Amino acid sequence: MMTAETARKIDAIRRERGNDLAILAHHYQTDDVVAHADILGDSLELSRKIAALSAKDIVFCGVYFMAETAAMLAAPGQRIHIPAPDAACVMSEMAPAALVEAVLTRLRQAGRDVLPLTYVNSSAAVKAVVGACGGAVCTSANAPKMLKWAMDQGRGVLFLPDKMLGQNTCNTLGVAASARHILDVRSGGARLDLDAARQAEVLFWPGQCVIHARFKAADIAALRAENPDVRVVIHPECSPATVAAADAAGSTSFIIKYVAEAPAGADIVIGTEINLVNRLAKQYQGQKTIRPLALSACSNMAKGTEANLLATLQNLDAAEPVRVDEAVRAPAALAVTRMLEASA
């Protein structure tokens, strides 16, 4: 809960630090954190902003992989801080770097060379493995463009870690179902179906977002039975069946734009993290009806609070910034740079 005293202290530090401080926040952060952000955005927007920032200290309000990405893109002398260092990402943790490397190695040994394309929701270590293999990063906003880029390289593609975003992106691009295969990465990759992997054009890591997996096509059908005119927009981390039942699917920025462009009086149901849905509902109250498809909150995003933002700001000079070892940073940053160049 936002308090006047905490807000006052944060504002005082921001005035004192001036241009030497920048606060970035993801759309899934709570309103009391977002209120202090200099830049609010989704993963692609925030990644693009890092290079242009001149601030000495950049405080990233989000989950840890986002702060790692910022640290990889930061200029020499810039320090990246995260108010909640324990804010992980369940999807990211479904693809540990050692296992990704083992699976890629086993595929190569079996004669199946693939170009890895990792969703930004992955660790710096995974991005490094991908970058070293000639691959790139993607976000939900540019996944179609980046998957097409990867397929155009003339190798097969391994899309990781989100099988939902991967399948939905293939649907957008018209990749045949027969040209896809979800890997079984259990037992250190020993259970891979190598024959299926050799025949498929796009392979998927079997991860998913636990937040967006809660939204079901049946929920949309029930809504339409009550109100055939309802508009449903969801995030592409939802299942392909849910995406097919919705009117539109896209990144958080896409969802925000969809709501903004909907006509006055529209009844819009949104399938994504609840903080964004609630914020849009407040913004358009009295103009449009905005409601969630289901209540789905990210407990890791919730670890970032106004209180620990203040604590971070009060300790900036003594705090240990987010660091990425150079052996990881160089290939990981290369994977991110390939994305930024290909999606410019």
Side-chain angles (χ1 to χ4, degrees):
M1 179 67 67
M2 186 173 183
T3 67
E5 181 62 14
T6 302
R8 185 193 65 75
K9 290 179 179 179
I10 291 174
D11 289 343
I13 294 171
R14 293 178 68 193
R15 286 194 299 272
E16 179 185 352
R17 295 274 177 170
N19 293 333
D20 283 340
L21 171 66
I23 300 176
L24 280 60
H26 191 273
H27 287 297
Y28 294 165
Q29 292 286 287
T30 57
D31 284 349
D32 54 357
V33 172
V34 166
H36 300 292
D38 297 298
I39 302 172
L40 176 65
D42 62 14
S43 296
L44 180 58
E45 290 170 322
L46 296 175
S47 295
R48 284 174 168 164
K49 296 290 186 182
I50 296 296
L53 292 174
S54 59
K56 175 184 175 183
D57 289 293
I58 301 170
V59 178
F60 207 116
C61 302
V63 293
Y64 195 77
F65 77 78
M66 298 176 179
E68 276 190 324
T69 302
M72 293 187 304
L73 298 174
Q78 285 184 318
R79 300 184 299 185
I80 306 297
H81 310 270
I82 181 169
D86 62 336
C89 170
V90 175
M91 179 200 295
S92 174
E93 293 176 337
M94 291 179 183
L99 181 56
V100 172
E101 195 160 27
V103 167
L104 286 168
T105 298
R106 187 148 191 263
L107 289 170
R108 280 195 298 269
Q109 290 173 342
R112 186 62 176 119
D113 182 37
V114 293
L115 183 79
L117 179 66
T118 185
Y119 191 23
V120 70
N121 296 40
S122 55
S123 68
V126 166
K127 291 181 178 75
V129 171
V130 169
C133 292
V137 172
C138 74
T139 70
S140 56
N142 65 17
K145 181 178 286 187
M146 291 309 302
L147 181 54
K148 185 178 185 308
W149 171 87
M151 294 174 71
D152 287 346
Q153 305 308 304
R155 301 158 65 183
V157 178
L158 169 60
F159 191 101
L160 69 150
D162 186 4
K163 65 181 179 182
M164 303 300 194
L165 178 62
Q167 292 178 91
N168 288 323
T169 304
C170 280
N171 288 341
T172 298
L173 295 179
V175 178
S178 59
R180 316 176 198 178
H181 174 64
I182 300 174
L183 297 175
D184 183 344
V185 300
R186 292 174 295 175
S187 302
R191 299 191 186 187
L192 293 176
D193 184 337
L194 296 175
D195 287 336
R198 290 188 194 98
Q199 295 172 29
E201 187 174 0
V202 182
L203 307 177
F204 304 114
W205 197 266
Q208 64 181 5
C209 173
V210 296
I211 306 307
H212 290 96
R214 295 172 185 157
F215 301 113
K216 307 297 184 183
D219 298 330
I220 298 176
L223 282 169
R224 296 202 193 282
E226 296 176 2
N227 179 11
D229 295 326
V230 70
R231 297 171 180 233
V232 182
V233 58
I234 63 173
H235 197 281
E237 289 176 12
C238 296
S239 73
T242 309
V243 168
D247 294 291
S251 67
T252 51
S253 293
F254 174 91
I255 291 171
I256 292 167
K257 184 180 180 194
Y258 182 93
V259 172
E261 295 178 349
D267 182 5
I268 305 170
V269 172
I270 303 175
T272 195
E273 211 276 342
I274 194 63
N275 279 298
L276 176 61
V277 181
N278 287 343
R279 192 171 301 124
L280 290 171
K282 291 176 186 176
Q283 181 180 346
Y284 291 98
Q285 188 172 8
Q287 305 171 47
K288 306 168 189 181
T289 300
I290 312 294
R291 49 200 175 109
L293 180 56
L295 183 81
S296 193
C298 178
S299 59
N300 278 296
M301 281 287 185
K303 291 177 180 177
T305 64
E306 189 184 35
N308 58 30
L309 171 58
L310 174 59
T312 299
L313 294 176
Q314 290 174 327
N315 195 42
L316 277 180
D317 294 327
E320 180 69 18
V322 176
R323 299 186 187 278
V324 179
D325 185 87
E326 182 59 24
V328 171
R329 191 206 66 79
L334 183 58
V336 176
T337 299
R338 288 188 184 116
M339 172 190 73
L340 295 175
E341 291 175 347
S343 64

